[in-house]
Structure formats: structure tokens, C-alpha cells
Amino acid sequence: MKRLAHRQRVYVRSGRLPSTTGGATGVRAAVAAEVHVLLRQLWKDWQQYASDPAGPASAQQVEAALEPFTAERAADLMGRLATECLVWPGARFMERAEADTVARRVAELLGPDTRWWSNLDPELESCWSGVSACTFDMFVAGTDGTRFVALIQVGED
């Protein structure tokens, strides 16, 4: 996952989920909590630039923003977010082929039963929920129930 990160634009987090109870609902809440940890980490870099001085969304707000994704769409979105700037079309962080290779490998390592989410509306493909307090943000997160990954890109214009 670290290969997909880009200084002050693309943030990544991965690890083991804490023990959860409550089945799928508990796992979903645990993933939202991990995304929230990542948001708090990036807030240190972005608070002076962010459009909302109140800070990033709570874990509950992140959970409400979770839209289910297929593994294929999640890997594609991870590759896209690691490569293409949300704010400045044409600005690139890394080669798309390399990002796609890493993203697919991450999805493969988590396995076929991984549950994936994003704050990207799957119907609109261009709308996101603003969980970071920055003007632009988009994330993808997944878990196999034990391990998790999260990647978010943020920006201001």
C-alpha cells in the first residue's frame, strides 16, 4: 500500500482490524473507524488549507458514506486515485500501470471474499461525500474481516 501513497495528496493505511462483534455491521463500523484514523492523520497536513475548519467527518459519518464496491472496481479506483489528481486533471503522481499492478495485488492478497467500499457514488462516478473537510476527497477501503486497507486522495483548488 505504501507504494500508492503520494506526499500530502494520497494517504494510505493498512493493518489488522480490532476484534469486532456484530457481524457485517461491526466489520463495516470497524473499517469506517480505520478510515477515520487515516482522516485524522491527513488533517495534520491539511487543516490550514481545508475548506471546513471543523475537521474531518466522524467515524459514524464515514460509515454513512460507505458505498459498496466490487473488488474489480475497488482495485481500479485505488489505481486511479494513486495516479490521477482529483483537482488538476492531467497532473500525475505515478505511472498508472504501476499503480494498477500494486492495487490489483493488494486486492488479491486480501482475497475474493473481501468487502470493499468507497465514498464515490457508484451511479454518478463523479460525486463524493467530503469526509476529509477538504474540497476534494475520494477514498476506497476494504477488509477480509481481519485485515484492512484504506486509500484516500485529498485536495484543494
Side-chain angles (χ1 to χ4, degrees), residues 104-111 114 144 147:
R104 281 192 305 270
R105 182 69 179 138
V106 167
E108 289 170 5
L109 288 170
L110 283 176
T114 297
D144 63 3
R147 300 168 296 166

Side-chain angles (χ1 to χ4, degrees), residues 3-133:
R3 285 179 53 196
L4 298 176
H6 183 78
R7 187 172 171 259
Q8 291 189 318
R9 287 293 185 174
V10 181
Y11 295 79
V12 298
R13 181 171 168 76
S14 61
R16 292 200 170 277
L17 287 177
S19 295
T20 59
T21 58
T25 303
V27 168
R28 181 183 169 103
V31 168
E34 294 298 340
V35 171
H36 183 254
V37 169
L38 185 57
L39 291 170
R40 287 193 335 254
Q41 289 172 349
L42 72 84
W43 182 247
K44 294 173 188 171
D45 292 337
W46 281 92
Q47 63 185 348
Q48 64 188 359
Y49 308 110
S51 58
D52 184 352
S58 68
Q60 293 80 16
Q61 291 168 312
V62 171
E63 186 175 1
L66 294 177
E67 294 286 345
F69 263 59
T70 65
E72 183 177 325
R73 289 192 70 205
D76 182 66
L77 184 57
M78 273 193 291
R80 187 172 112 206
L81 293 175
T83 304
E84 302 169 8
C85 182
L86 292 172
V87 180
W88 307 109
R92 301 277 186 243
F93 305 129
M94 68 186 300
E95 291 296 322
R96 180 66 193 252
E98 178 186 1
D100 284 345
T101 298
V102 173
R104 281 192 305 270
R105 182 69 179 138
V106 167
E108 289 170 5
L109 288 170
L110 283 176
D113 295 329
T114 297
R115 296 182 63 199
W116 292 97
W117 299 273
S118 175
N119 64 330
L120 175 66
D121 185 318
E123 299 297 319
L124 300 177
E125 281 294 322
S126 63
C127 181
W128 46 88
S129 60
V131 295
S132 69

